[in-house]
Short mmCIF file of all heavy atoms in Angstrom, two decimals:
data_model
loop_
_atom_site.label_atom_id
_atom_site.label_comp_id
_atom_site.label_asym_id
_atom_site.label_seq_id
_atom_site.Cartn_x
_atom_site.Cartn_y
_atom_site.Cartn_z
N GLY W 173 58.48 81.08 -45.69
CA GLY W 173 59.88 80.74 -45.71
C GLY W 173 60.25 79.42 -45.14
O GLY W 173 59.72 78.40 -45.55
N LEU W 174 61.23 79.41 -44.24
CA LEU W 174 61.62 78.20 -43.55
C LEU W 174 60.43 77.61 -42.79
O LEU W 174 60.24 76.40 -42.72
CB LEU W 174 62.76 78.47 -42.55
CG LEU W 174 63.21 77.32 -41.65
CD1 LEU W 174 63.95 76.27 -42.48
CD2 LEU W 174 64.06 77.83 -40.56
N THR W 175 59.61 78.49 -42.26
CA THR W 175 58.38 78.13 -41.57
C THR W 175 57.23 78.94 -42.20
O THR W 175 57.44 79.89 -42.95
CB THR W 175 58.48 78.42 -40.06
OG1 THR W 175 58.35 79.84 -39.84
CG2 THR W 175 59.75 77.91 -39.47
N PRO W 176 55.98 78.63 -41.81
CA PRO W 176 54.87 79.42 -42.31
C PRO W 176 54.73 80.81 -41.70
O PRO W 176 53.79 81.54 -42.05
CB PRO W 176 53.65 78.56 -41.94
CG PRO W 176 54.17 77.20 -41.70
CD PRO W 176 55.53 77.43 -41.13
N LEU W 177 55.65 81.22 -40.88
CA LEU W 177 55.54 82.53 -40.21
C LEU W 177 55.87 83.73 -41.14
O LEU W 177 55.32 84.79 -41.00
CB LEU W 177 56.44 82.58 -38.97
CG LEU W 177 56.33 83.81 -38.06
CD1 LEU W 177 54.91 83.92 -37.49
CD2 LEU W 177 57.32 83.71 -36.93
N GLU W 178 56.77 83.51 -42.07
CA GLU W 178 57.22 84.58 -42.94
C GLU W 178 56.15 85.00 -43.93
O GLU W 178 55.34 84.18 -44.35
CB GLU W 178 58.48 84.11 -43.71
CG GLU W 178 59.14 85.19 -44.55
CD GLU W 178 60.37 84.69 -45.29
OE1 GLU W 178 60.82 83.56 -45.07
OE2 GLU W 178 60.88 85.44 -46.14
N GLY W 179 56.15 86.27 -44.35
CA GLY W 179 55.31 86.69 -45.46
C GLY W 179 54.15 87.57 -45.03
O GLY W 179 54.31 88.55 -44.33
N LEU W 180 52.97 87.20 -45.52
CA LEU W 180 51.77 88.02 -45.33
C LEU W 180 51.30 88.02 -43.87
O LEU W 180 51.63 87.14 -43.09
CB LEU W 180 50.61 87.46 -46.19
CG LEU W 180 50.83 87.39 -47.69
CD1 LEU W 180 49.61 86.77 -48.38
CD2 LEU W 180 51.15 88.75 -48.28
N VAL W 181 50.53 89.06 -43.52
CA VAL W 181 49.82 89.04 -42.25
C VAL W 181 48.77 87.97 -42.32
O VAL W 181 48.07 87.80 -43.33
CB VAL W 181 49.17 90.40 -42.02
CG1 VAL W 181 48.27 90.39 -40.81
CG2 VAL W 181 50.22 91.48 -41.86
N MET W 182 48.62 87.18 -41.27
CA MET W 182 47.65 86.08 -41.25
C MET W 182 46.73 86.21 -40.05
O MET W 182 46.68 87.26 -39.36
CB MET W 182 48.42 84.75 -41.20
CG MET W 182 49.41 84.64 -42.33
SD MET W 182 50.41 83.14 -42.22
CE MET W 182 52.01 83.77 -42.79
N GLY W 183 45.92 85.22 -39.81
CA GLY W 183 44.96 85.29 -38.71
C GLY W 183 45.59 85.54 -37.37
O GLY W 183 45.23 86.47 -36.63
N THR W 184 46.61 84.71 -37.04
CA THR W 184 47.30 84.89 -35.75
C THR W 184 48.83 84.95 -35.94
O THR W 184 49.54 85.11 -34.98
CB THR W 184 47.00 83.70 -34.82
OG1 THR W 184 47.47 82.48 -35.40
CG2 THR W 184 45.51 83.61 -34.54
N ARG W 185 49.31 84.90 -37.18
CA ARG W 185 50.76 85.02 -37.43
C ARG W 185 51.07 86.41 -37.93
O ARG W 185 50.36 86.99 -38.72
CB ARG W 185 51.21 84.03 -38.51
CG ARG W 185 51.06 82.55 -38.10
CD ARG W 185 51.71 81.67 -39.18
NE ARG W 185 51.41 80.25 -38.93
CZ ARG W 185 50.73 79.48 -39.79
NH1 ARG W 185 50.31 79.95 -40.95
NH2 ARG W 185 50.53 78.20 -39.50
N CYS W 186 52.26 86.93 -37.50
CA CYS W 186 52.62 88.32 -37.81
C CYS W 186 53.10 88.51 -39.21
O CYS W 186 53.01 89.61 -39.75
CB CYS W 186 53.74 88.74 -36.83
SG CYS W 186 55.26 87.77 -37.00
N GLY W 187 53.58 87.46 -39.91
CA GLY W 187 54.21 87.66 -41.19
C GLY W 187 55.58 88.30 -41.03
O GLY W 187 56.18 88.19 -39.97
N ASP W 188 56.04 88.98 -42.09
CA ASP W 188 57.40 89.58 -42.03
C ASP W 188 57.59 90.49 -40.82
O ASP W 188 56.72 91.30 -40.49
CB ASP W 188 57.64 90.42 -43.30
CG ASP W 188 57.76 89.55 -44.55
OD1 ASP W 188 58.00 88.35 -44.41
OD2 ASP W 188 57.62 90.13 -45.65
N ILE W 189 58.70 90.32 -40.17
CA ILE W 189 58.99 91.15 -39.00
C ILE W 189 60.49 91.21 -38.81
O ILE W 189 61.23 90.31 -39.23
CB ILE W 189 58.31 90.53 -37.74
CG1 ILE W 189 58.24 91.58 -36.59
CG2 ILE W 189 58.98 89.28 -37.26
CD1 ILE W 189 57.28 91.21 -35.52
N ASP W 190 61.00 92.26 -38.19
CA ASP W 190 62.42 92.42 -37.94
C ASP W 190 62.89 91.30 -36.99
O ASP W 190 62.33 91.20 -35.88
CB ASP W 190 62.66 93.80 -37.29
CG ASP W 190 64.14 94.10 -37.04
OD1 ASP W 190 64.99 93.19 -37.06
OD2 ASP W 190 64.42 95.28 -36.79
N PRO W 191 63.83 90.47 -37.41
CA PRO W 191 64.28 89.37 -36.53
C PRO W 191 64.85 89.85 -35.18
O PRO W 191 64.81 89.08 -34.20
CB PRO W 191 65.37 88.67 -37.33
CG PRO W 191 65.12 89.07 -38.75
CD PRO W 191 64.54 90.44 -38.67
N SER W 192 65.29 91.09 -35.11
CA SER W 192 65.83 91.56 -33.84
C SER W 192 64.77 91.83 -32.81
O SER W 192 65.10 92.12 -31.62
CB SER W 192 66.59 92.91 -34.11
OG SER W 192 67.79 92.67 -34.84
N ILE W 193 63.48 91.57 -33.14
CA ILE W 193 62.49 91.69 -32.12
C ILE W 193 62.70 90.61 -31.02
O ILE W 193 62.32 90.81 -29.88
CB ILE W 193 61.04 91.52 -32.73
CG1 ILE W 193 59.97 91.96 -31.69
CG2 ILE W 193 60.77 90.07 -33.18
CD1 ILE W 193 58.60 92.03 -32.29
N PHE W 194 63.35 89.50 -31.38
CA PHE W 194 63.66 88.48 -30.37
C PHE W 194 64.57 89.04 -29.27
O PHE W 194 64.27 88.91 -28.08
CB PHE W 194 64.29 87.26 -31.01
CG PHE W 194 63.26 86.34 -31.64
CD1 PHE W 194 62.86 86.51 -32.93
CD2 PHE W 194 62.73 85.29 -30.90
CE1 PHE W 194 61.93 85.65 -33.50
CE2 PHE W 194 61.79 84.45 -31.45
CZ PHE W 194 61.35 84.63 -32.74
N SER W 195 65.69 89.66 -29.68
CA SER W 195 66.60 90.18 -28.64
C SER W 195 66.00 91.40 -27.91
O SER W 195 66.21 91.58 -26.73
CB SER W 195 67.95 90.56 -29.29
OG SER W 195 67.74 91.53 -30.33
N PHE W 196 65.20 92.19 -28.66
CA PHE W 196 64.59 93.36 -28.05
C PHE W 196 63.59 92.92 -26.94
O PHE W 196 63.61 93.50 -25.82
CB PHE W 196 63.85 94.20 -29.10
CG PHE W 196 63.15 95.41 -28.56
CD1 PHE W 196 63.84 96.60 -28.36
CD2 PHE W 196 61.81 95.34 -28.20
CE1 PHE W 196 63.18 97.70 -27.80
CE2 PHE W 196 61.15 96.42 -27.67
CZ PHE W 196 61.83 97.62 -27.48
N LEU W 197 62.74 91.98 -27.26
CA LEU W 197 61.72 91.56 -26.28
C LEU W 197 62.34 90.73 -25.15
O LEU W 197 61.91 90.82 -23.99
CB LEU W 197 60.62 90.74 -26.98
CG LEU W 197 59.69 91.52 -27.89
CD1 LEU W 197 58.68 90.59 -28.53
CD2 LEU W 197 59.01 92.66 -27.13
N ALA W 198 63.42 90.00 -25.49
CA ALA W 198 64.12 89.25 -24.44
C ALA W 198 64.75 90.21 -23.41
O ALA W 198 64.67 89.99 -22.20
CB ALA W 198 65.20 88.38 -25.03
N SER W 199 65.28 91.33 -23.90
CA SER W 199 65.91 92.31 -23.02
C SER W 199 64.90 93.20 -22.29
O SER W 199 65.08 93.54 -21.12
CB SER W 199 66.87 93.17 -23.81
OG SER W 199 67.90 92.43 -24.40
N ASN W 200 63.85 93.59 -23.01
CA ASN W 200 62.95 94.60 -22.43
C ASN W 200 61.66 94.04 -21.85
O ASN W 200 61.05 94.69 -20.94
CB ASN W 200 62.57 95.62 -23.53
CG ASN W 200 63.71 96.48 -23.96
OD1 ASN W 200 64.06 97.49 -23.32
ND2 ASN W 200 64.41 96.07 -25.03
N ALA W 201 61.21 92.87 -22.32
CA ALA W 201 59.98 92.29 -21.78
C ALA W 201 60.25 90.97 -21.03
O ALA W 201 59.31 90.34 -20.58
CB ALA W 201 58.98 92.06 -22.91
N ASN W 202 61.54 90.60 -20.94
CA ASN W 202 61.92 89.40 -20.25
C ASN W 202 61.21 88.16 -20.80
O ASN W 202 60.82 87.30 -20.02
CB ASN W 202 61.67 89.54 -18.74
CG ASN W 202 62.46 88.51 -17.94
OD1 ASN W 202 63.58 88.11 -18.32
ND2 ASN W 202 61.92 88.07 -16.81
N MET W 203 61.05 88.12 -22.10
CA MET W 203 60.41 86.99 -22.77
C MET W 203 61.43 86.02 -23.27
O MET W 203 62.52 86.40 -23.74
CB MET W 203 59.52 87.45 -23.93
CG MET W 203 58.32 88.34 -23.49
SD MET W 203 57.40 88.97 -24.87
CE MET W 203 56.60 87.49 -25.53
N SER W 204 61.12 84.74 -23.25
CA SER W 204 62.02 83.71 -23.75
C SER W 204 61.80 83.52 -25.27
O SER W 204 60.77 84.00 -25.82
CB SER W 204 61.76 82.38 -23.06
OG SER W 204 60.47 81.88 -23.41
N ILE W 205 62.70 82.83 -25.93
CA ILE W 205 62.55 82.54 -27.35
C ILE W 205 61.24 81.83 -27.59
O ILE W 205 60.47 82.11 -28.53
CB ILE W 205 63.73 81.73 -27.87
CG1 ILE W 205 64.99 82.59 -27.93
CG2 ILE W 205 63.42 81.13 -29.27
CD1 ILE W 205 66.23 81.84 -28.38
N GLU W 206 60.91 80.85 -26.73
CA GLU W 206 59.69 80.11 -26.87
C GLU W 206 58.46 80.98 -26.71
O GLU W 206 57.51 80.83 -27.52
CB GLU W 206 59.66 78.94 -25.82
CG GLU W 206 60.66 77.85 -26.04
CD GLU W 206 62.07 78.24 -25.65
OE1 GLU W 206 62.24 79.25 -24.89
OE2 GLU W 206 63.00 77.55 -26.06
N GLN W 207 58.46 81.90 -25.79
CA GLN W 207 57.33 82.78 -25.59
C GLN W 207 57.16 83.74 -26.78
O GLN W 207 56.03 83.98 -27.19
CB GLN W 207 57.52 83.60 -24.30
CG GLN W 207 57.37 82.79 -23.03
CD GLN W 207 57.75 83.61 -21.79
OE1 GLN W 207 58.70 84.38 -21.78
NE2 GLN W 207 56.99 83.43 -20.69
N ILE W 208 58.25 84.22 -27.30
CA ILE W 208 58.15 85.16 -28.42
C ILE W 208 57.67 84.39 -29.66
O ILE W 208 56.82 84.88 -30.41
CB ILE W 208 59.54 85.79 -28.71
CG1 ILE W 208 59.97 86.66 -27.50
CG2 ILE W 208 59.44 86.69 -29.96
CD1 ILE W 208 61.43 87.10 -27.56
N THR W 209 58.19 83.22 -29.88
CA THR W 209 57.77 82.41 -31.01
C THR W 209 56.25 82.12 -30.95
O THR W 209 55.53 82.18 -31.93
CB THR W 209 58.57 81.12 -31.09
OG1 THR W 209 59.94 81.41 -31.23
CG2 THR W 209 58.11 80.23 -32.26
N GLU W 210 55.82 81.77 -29.75
CA GLU W 210 54.39 81.46 -29.50
C GLU W 210 53.55 82.72 -29.82
O GLU W 210 52.48 82.64 -30.48
CB GLU W 210 54.18 81.05 -28.06
CG GLU W 210 52.75 80.76 -27.71
CD GLU W 210 52.25 79.40 -28.01
OE1 GLU W 210 53.03 78.57 -28.58
OE2 GLU W 210 51.12 79.06 -27.68
N MET W 211 54.01 83.85 -29.32
CA MET W 211 53.27 85.12 -29.56
C MET W 211 53.20 85.49 -31.03
O MET W 211 52.16 85.87 -31.54
CB MET W 211 53.94 86.24 -28.77
CG MET W 211 53.32 87.61 -28.90
SD MET W 211 54.07 88.63 -30.21
CE MET W 211 55.71 88.89 -29.52
N LEU W 212 54.31 85.34 -31.74
CA LEU W 212 54.35 85.70 -33.16
C LEU W 212 53.47 84.79 -34.01
O LEU W 212 52.95 85.14 -35.06
CB LEU W 212 55.78 85.65 -33.69
CG LEU W 212 56.74 86.69 -33.08
CD1 LEU W 212 58.11 86.52 -33.67
CD2 LEU W 212 56.23 88.12 -33.30
N ASN W 213 53.33 83.53 -33.58
CA ASN W 213 52.52 82.56 -34.32
C ASN W 213 51.04 82.50 -33.94
O ASN W 213 50.20 82.23 -34.79
CB ASN W 213 53.12 81.13 -34.13
CG ASN W 213 54.28 80.89 -35.07
OD1 ASN W 213 54.09 80.64 -36.27
ND2 ASN W 213 55.49 80.95 -34.57
N LYS W 214 50.75 82.71 -32.65
CA LYS W 214 49.39 82.48 -32.17
C LYS W 214 48.65 83.65 -31.61
O LYS W 214 47.46 83.55 -31.33
CB LYS W 214 49.42 81.30 -31.17
CG LYS W 214 49.93 80.02 -31.77
CD LYS W 214 49.85 78.87 -30.79
CE LYS W 214 50.29 77.57 -31.43
NZ LYS W 214 50.26 76.43 -30.49
N GLU W 215 49.39 84.76 -31.41
CA GLU W 215 48.72 85.90 -30.79
C GLU W 215 48.88 87.18 -31.60
O GLU W 215 48.55 88.28 -31.12
CB GLU W 215 49.32 86.16 -29.35
CG GLU W 215 49.16 84.95 -28.43
CD GLU W 215 50.00 85.10 -27.16
OE1 GLU W 215 50.41 86.24 -26.84
OE2 GLU W 215 50.24 84.07 -26.51
N SER W 216 49.37 87.06 -32.80
CA SER W 216 49.66 88.23 -33.62
C SER W 216 48.74 88.31 -34.81
O SER W 216 47.63 87.93 -34.73
CB SER W 216 51.16 88.18 -34.05
OG SER W 216 51.97 88.14 -32.92
N GLY W 217 49.19 88.89 -35.95
CA GLY W 217 48.41 89.00 -37.13
C GLY W 217 47.10 89.80 -36.90
O GLY W 217 47.11 90.80 -36.20
N LEU W 218 46.05 89.37 -37.54
CA LEU W 218 44.74 90.08 -37.41
C LEU W 218 44.29 90.12 -35.98
O LEU W 218 43.77 91.16 -35.52
CB LEU W 218 43.69 89.36 -38.28
CG LEU W 218 43.91 89.41 -39.76
CD1 LEU W 218 42.87 88.55 -40.48
CD2 LEU W 218 43.87 90.83 -40.34
N LEU W 219 44.50 89.02 -35.24
CA LEU W 219 44.10 88.99 -33.83
C LEU W 219 44.88 90.02 -33.01
O LEU W 219 44.27 90.75 -32.23
CB LEU W 219 44.31 87.61 -33.28
CG LEU W 219 44.04 87.38 -31.76
CD1 LEU W 219 42.61 87.68 -31.46
CD2 LEU W 219 44.46 86.01 -31.33
N GLY W 220 46.20 90.06 -33.19
CA GLY W 220 47.01 90.98 -32.42
C GLY W 220 46.74 92.43 -32.75
O GLY W 220 46.68 93.26 -31.87
N LEU W 221 46.56 92.71 -34.03
CA LEU W 221 46.33 94.11 -34.45
C LEU W 221 44.96 94.59 -34.00
O LEU W 221 44.83 95.78 -33.57
CB LEU W 221 46.42 94.19 -35.97
CG LEU W 221 47.83 94.21 -36.58
CD1 LEU W 221 47.74 93.99 -38.07
CD2 LEU W 221 48.50 95.56 -36.30
N SER W 222 43.96 93.74 -34.06
CA SER W 222 42.60 94.19 -33.73
C SER W 222 42.27 94.11 -32.28
O SER W 222 41.37 94.80 -31.78
CB SER W 222 41.60 93.32 -34.54
OG SER W 222 41.61 91.99 -34.06
N ASP W 223 42.99 93.25 -31.52
CA ASP W 223 42.62 92.92 -30.15
C ASP W 223 41.18 92.45 -30.06
O ASP W 223 40.50 92.65 -29.06
CB ASP W 223 42.80 94.14 -29.24
CG ASP W 223 44.20 94.29 -28.72
OD1 ASP W 223 44.89 93.26 -28.57
OD2 ASP W 223 44.63 95.42 -28.49
N LEU W 224 40.72 91.76 -31.15
CA LEU W 224 39.35 91.35 -31.22
C LEU W 224 39.18 89.92 -31.72
O LEU W 224 38.62 89.08 -31.06
CB LEU W 224 38.57 92.34 -32.12
CG LEU W 224 37.10 92.05 -32.31
CD1 LEU W 224 36.35 92.20 -31.03
CD2 LEU W 224 36.51 93.01 -33.41
N SER W 225 39.70 89.67 -32.95
CA SER W 225 39.46 88.34 -33.56
C SER W 225 40.43 88.14 -34.69
O SER W 225 41.03 89.05 -35.23
CB SER W 225 38.04 88.32 -34.12
OG SER W 225 37.76 87.10 -34.82
N ASN W 226 40.60 86.86 -35.08
CA ASN W 226 41.38 86.52 -36.26
C ASN W 226 40.46 86.17 -37.44
O ASN W 226 40.92 85.72 -38.48
CB ASN W 226 42.31 85.30 -35.99
CG ASN W 226 41.55 84.05 -35.61
OD1 ASN W 226 40.61 84.12 -34.80
ND2 ASN W 226 41.94 82.95 -36.15
N ASP W 227 39.14 86.32 -37.25
CA ASP W 227 38.15 85.97 -38.25
C ASP W 227 37.75 87.21 -39.01
O ASP W 227 37.23 88.19 -38.40
CB ASP W 227 36.95 85.34 -37.56
CG ASP W 227 35.94 84.72 -38.55
OD1 ASP W 227 35.74 85.28 -39.64
OD2 ASP W 227 35.41 83.64 -38.22
N CYS W 228 37.97 87.23 -40.32
CA CYS W 228 37.66 88.39 -41.13
C CYS W 228 36.21 88.76 -41.13
O CYS W 228 35.82 89.93 -41.25
CB CYS W 228 38.14 88.18 -42.57
SG CYS W 228 39.91 88.44 -42.80
N ARG W 229 35.31 87.77 -40.92
CA ARG W 229 33.90 88.09 -40.89
C ARG W 229 33.60 88.97 -39.64
O ARG W 229 32.86 89.99 -39.78
CB ARG W 229 33.09 86.77 -40.80
CG ARG W 229 33.19 85.95 -42.11
CD ARG W 229 32.62 84.58 -41.88
NE ARG W 229 33.44 83.81 -40.93
CZ ARG W 229 33.26 82.53 -40.64
NH1 ARG W 229 32.30 81.85 -41.25
NH2 ARG W 229 34.04 81.91 -39.77
N THR W 230 34.17 88.63 -38.56
CA THR W 230 34.00 89.44 -37.33
C THR W 230 34.63 90.80 -37.51
O THR W 230 34.04 91.83 -37.12
CB THR W 230 34.63 88.72 -36.12
OG1 THR W 230 34.01 87.44 -35.95
CG2 THR W 230 34.48 89.51 -34.84
N LEU W 231 35.81 90.81 -38.12
CA LEU W 231 36.52 92.08 -38.26
C LEU W 231 35.84 93.03 -39.24
O LEU W 231 35.75 94.23 -39.03
CB LEU W 231 37.94 91.83 -38.73
CG LEU W 231 38.86 91.09 -37.74
CD1 LEU W 231 40.22 90.81 -38.34
CD2 LEU W 231 38.99 91.89 -36.42
N GLU W 232 35.26 92.48 -40.31
CA GLU W 232 34.58 93.33 -41.31
C GLU W 232 33.33 93.94 -40.66
O GLU W 232 33.00 95.10 -40.91
CB GLU W 232 34.24 92.52 -42.55
CG GLU W 232 35.43 92.19 -43.39
CD GLU W 232 35.16 91.24 -44.52
OE1 GLU W 232 33.98 90.79 -44.66
OE2 GLU W 232 36.09 90.91 -45.29
#
Side-chain angles (χ1 to χ4, degrees):
L174 175 71
T175 74
L177 187 60
E178 185 180 352
L180 301 178
V181 172
M182 305 175 218
T184 62
R185 296 187 188 119
C186 63
D188 291 342
I189 197 165
D190 184 343
S192 291
I193 194 171
F194 278 88
S195 58
F196 179 85
L197 291 179
S199 298
N200 292 277
N202 199 31
M203 295 175 70
S204 67
I205 290 177
E206 291 76 16
Q207 288 173 321
I208 298 168
T209 300
E210 178 86 357
M211 180 265 294
L212 296 179
N213 277 283
K214 298 185 178 179
E215 301 169 18
S216 300
L218 294 174
L219 176 62
L221 283 166
S222 69
D223 275 330
L224 179 65
S225 176
N226 62 315
D227 191 321
C228 280
R229 294 167 295 187
T230 302
L231 295 178
E232 287 172 1

